[in-house]
Amino acid sequence: MGRTRNSGRGQAAAGTVVEEVDGGLARLVPDRDRPRAWTLLIDDAPQSHVDLDDPAHLSFAYQRRFGHVVDTVAPAGRPLQAVHLGGGAFTLARYVAATRPRSTQQVVERDAKLVQLVRRELPVDPRSRIRVRSTDAREGLAKIPDGWAGLVVADVFSGARTPAHLTSTEFLDDVRRALAPGGVYAANLADGPPLAHLRGQIATAAARFAELALIADPAVLRGRRFGNAVLVASDAPLPIAELTRRAASDPHPGRVQHGPELRDFTGGAAPVTDLAAVASPAPPASVFR
């Protein structure tokens, strides 16, 4: 730790770990306010934040929204079986392990070099029961037993875009297969005005799940700026009141849309199939400045 490695693609700040991975140039930047905390960036796009001393700390707003979902899926302390599509620095898996000991989790992260970097520099507690598989998210999901997961989380980005094959009804069919009855699916979606991708993803989820909710910054929902939204889906009723309370009390308050309001938000968008699927839009360069 604390070593600066320069790959020749720009200077690294003191203490930063810089390494080429399959997805681009990875940088682990130390947190000035937390002694053993790090931010992972890939080609300057922030991916994860991890505090090795406090894995229950979630720094990014969208990660806290995932944390709100976890906290409503399983009471604190109750083990959870979870699948994480997209690993980053395993932030949410560490959160689940810290807050719900004895949970069993499967992380699917295609970037094998990134997995090696994270395991070496930000080691996971060997008692945490987090298993990592380096393969494509959809291929890894296909290997999850039927009805195994209480929670499936999708947080997959390649070049800051969600790959097309993870945006379709066919993909969600396999998510449903892997979920236990009453299980919950949560996805990190990124979009900006005119929100066509986000509307299409809500319509796609509505074609496969009975209950939906969307958690996001109000400015994102109004199409005023590019940002993240967390989609929550299940065949069982969702704890809307609790999600709303947690989102509203967050350091970066979010709004929860559901029911008729969320259906209206889609604006008549059609569900996305494999044949029509495209990657999510690339964020404007100003997002990461």
Side-chain angles (χ1 to χ4, degrees):
M1 290 294 221
R3 297 181 300 277
T4 299
R5 302 174 192 162
N6 197 322
S7 68
R9 291 175 58 181
Q11 296 296 315
T16 298
V17 178
V18 181
E19 193 160 309
E20 291 282 355
V21 296
D22 295 334
L25 184 68
R27 291 192 296 142
L28 287 172
V29 180
D31 187 326
R32 296 178 180 178
D33 299 320
R34 290 175 169 263
R36 298 184 68 225
W38 302 77
T39 298
L40 168 67
L41 301 95
I42 306 290
D43 287 340
D44 294 326
Q47 300 288 327
S48 306
H49 180 279
V50 168
D51 188 335
L52 296 177
D53 290 332
D54 183 10
H57 174 75
L58 299 174
S59 179
F60 294 173
Y62 88 86
Q63 290 178 337
R64 288 195 300 276
R65 305 203 201 290
F66 274 145
H68 301 331
V69 175
V70 170
D71 292 342
T72 59
V73 168
R78 192 181 84 185
L80 179 65
Q81 293 186 169
V83 177
H84 303 266
L85 304 178
F90 317 149
T91 303
L92 193 64
R94 296 174 199 260
Y95 176 84
V96 171
T99 59
R100 288 150 181 85
R102 303 183 309 284
S103 292
T104 303
Q105 302 183 80
Q106 176 70 66
V107 175
V108 182
E109 171 55 62
R110 182 174 186 171
D111 195 326
K113 291 183 179 178
L114 175 61
V115 170
Q116 293 171 3
L117 171 65
V118 171
R119 279 178 158 164
R120 186 184 70 238
E121 302 291 346
L122 308 176
V124 175
D125 186 335
R127 300 168 296 177
S128 63
R129 301 176 70 174
I130 298 172
R131 301 182 65 182
V132 183
R133 178 175 291 153
S134 296
T135 188
D136 173 77
R138 197 151 157 182
E139 292 177 4
L141 177 64
K143 296 180 181 179
I144 301 297
D146 292 2
W148 182 85
L151 174 68
V152 174
V153 176
D155 187 15
V156 184
F157 288 86
S158 176
R161 304 177 70 183
T162 300
H165 69 299
L166 304 181
T167 67
S168 68
T169 52
E170 290 89 342
F171 165 65
L172 291 185
D173 285 337
D174 211 24
V175 170
R176 288 196 60 184
R177 177 199 59 77
L179 281 172
V184 172
Y185 170 64
N188 180 21
L189 307 175
D191 199 8
L195 300 178
H197 173 73
L198 184 57
R199 298 180 202 279
Q201 287 304 285
I202 296 167
T204 303
R208 292 298 183 264
F209 290 95
E211 301 289 335
L212 300 180
L214 188 70
I215 314 171
D217 185 308
V220 174
L221 292 175
R222 295 187 186 110
R224 294 181 178 175
R225 68 174 181 83
F226 194 98
N228 297 88
V230 170
L231 176 67
V232 189
S234 179
D235 283 332
L238 293 169
I240 299 299
E242 183 63 13
L243 285 173
T244 299
R245 183 187 70 79
R246 289 174 181 268
S249 61
D250 189 84
H252 292 86
R255 181 180 173 188
V256 176
Q257 285 193 341
H258 65 99
E261 181 183 30
L262 187 56
R263 287 194 294 273
D264 291 344
F265 179 81
T266 65
V272 176
T273 65
D274 275 345
L275 289 176
V278 296
S280 66
S286 59
V287 167
F288 304 127
R289 288 176 185 169

